[in-house]
C-alpha cells in the first residue's frame, strides 16, 4: 500500500533526524526538501560575492538538484557535484531563508518535489509539505520545540562538525530564520489544519520516533 507522510516544522525541531529513522523503519523513501533550498543557496555563494535577488534567480534558473538516498543518508548533488556536507554550513543557513522566499525558486523546487513523490511511498520533510506540496498526504505532522531547545540541538550538531559557534549566535540565527520562514508571502511555514502537532521539547529522539511510528501505522 502506498503511504505518503508529510512532516513540517521550524528549524532545529528534529525533523530530519526523526524523519530518517521513521522512513527507514516503514521503508519509505525519505525526501529532505530543506536540502534542496540549501543546494540553491550553496550555488549562489559559490558563484557570487554579493547575495542579491538577481544572483539567486540566476543560480536557480537551470540548476540541477538531485537527491540520492543511500544507506540512511541523503546525498545531495548540484549540477553533478556532491554538496552533501557543504550545504550544512552556517553561511548557507544564513542566506537560505532569503533563497526560499523567492517565488521562482519555490515553483521550481516544488515541481521537482511533487514529481519525486509520484511513485511509491515517501516521507517528505520541510516547511510547506502538508500545506502546499502534498496537501493530500495520508499523515501530516507538525514537529516543533521551544527556540531554546532547538538552538541547543543545532549548536551541538554544528560543534560536532567542527564549527566554532556560540549558543547565543545559533539562537539568534534560528529566531531570525523562524521569523523569515513564518512571515514570507509565499507558502509560509504554518501548521496545516489537518496536521497533528508534536512538541518535542524535553522528549528524546526515541520517544519522538515511537510517537510518529504509531501515528503513521494508524494511517497505513
Ligand atoms: O530544514 P532546513 O533547515 O534544512 O531548511 C532550510 C531552509 O529552507 C529553511 O530556512 C526554510 C527553507 N525551506 C522551505 O522554505 N520550504 C521547505 N519545504 C523546506 C525548507
Amino acid at each position: 500500500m502506498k503511504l505518503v507522510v508529510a512532516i513540517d516544522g521550524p528549524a532545529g525541531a528534529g525533523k530530519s533526524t526523526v524523519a530518517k529513522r521513521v522512513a527507514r523503519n516503514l521503508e519509505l523513501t525519505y525526501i529532505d526538501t530543506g536540502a534542496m533550498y540549501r543546494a540553491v543557496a550553496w550555488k549562489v555563494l559559490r558563484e557570487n560575492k554579493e547575495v542579491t535577488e538577481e544572483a539567486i534567480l540566476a543560480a536557480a534558473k537551470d540548476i540541477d538538484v538531485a537527491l540520492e538516498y543511500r544507506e540512511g543518508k541523503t546525498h545531495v548533488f548540484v549540477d553533478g557535484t556532491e554538496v552533501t556536507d557543504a550545504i550544512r554550513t552556517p553561511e548557507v543557513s544564513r542566506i537560505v531563508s532569503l533563497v526560499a522566499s523567492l517565488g521562482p525558486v519555490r515553483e521550481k523546487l516544488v515541481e521537482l518535489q511533487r514529481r519525486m513523490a509520484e511513485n511509491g511511498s515517501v516521507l517528505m520533510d520541510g516547511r510547506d509539505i502538508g500545506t502546499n506540496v502534498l496537501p493530500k498526504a495520508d499523515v501530516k505532522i507538525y514537529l516543533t520545540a521551544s527556540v531554546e531547545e532547538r538552538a541547543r540541538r543545532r549548536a551541538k550538531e554544528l560543534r560536532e562538525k567542527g564549527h566554532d559557534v556560540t549558543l547565543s549566535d545559533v539562537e539568534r540565527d534560528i529566531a531570525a530564520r523562524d521569523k523569515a520562514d513564518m512571515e514570507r508571502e509565499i507558502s509560509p511555514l504554518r501548521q496545516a489544519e489537518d496536521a497533528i502537532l508534536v512538541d518535542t521539547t524535553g522528549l528524546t529522539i526515541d520517544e519522538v520516533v515511537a510517537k510518529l511510528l504509531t501515528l503513521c501505522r494508524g494511517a497505513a
Side-chain angles (χ1 to χ4, degrees), residues 7-12 15-16 30 32-38 87-88 92-93 95-101 106 110 113 124-129 133 154 177-178 180-181 184 186-189:
I7 303 183
D8 291 299
K15 286 189 305 291
S16 59
Y30 169 54
D32 175 356
T33 64
M36 299 168 77
Y37 290 93
R38 287 174 177 275
I87 61 168
R88 303 285 165 197
V92 168
S93 298
I95 70 153
V96 69
S97 286
L98 175 62
V99 170
S101 71
R106 301 202 70 85
V110 167
Q113 289 153 12
M124 195 178 279
D125 80 5
R127 303 293 190 285
D128 62 337
I129 311 306
V133 182
R154 231 343 114 82
R177 212 130 67 82
D178 282 358
D181 292 344
R184 72 167 173 240
I186 312 162
S187 307
L189 168 65

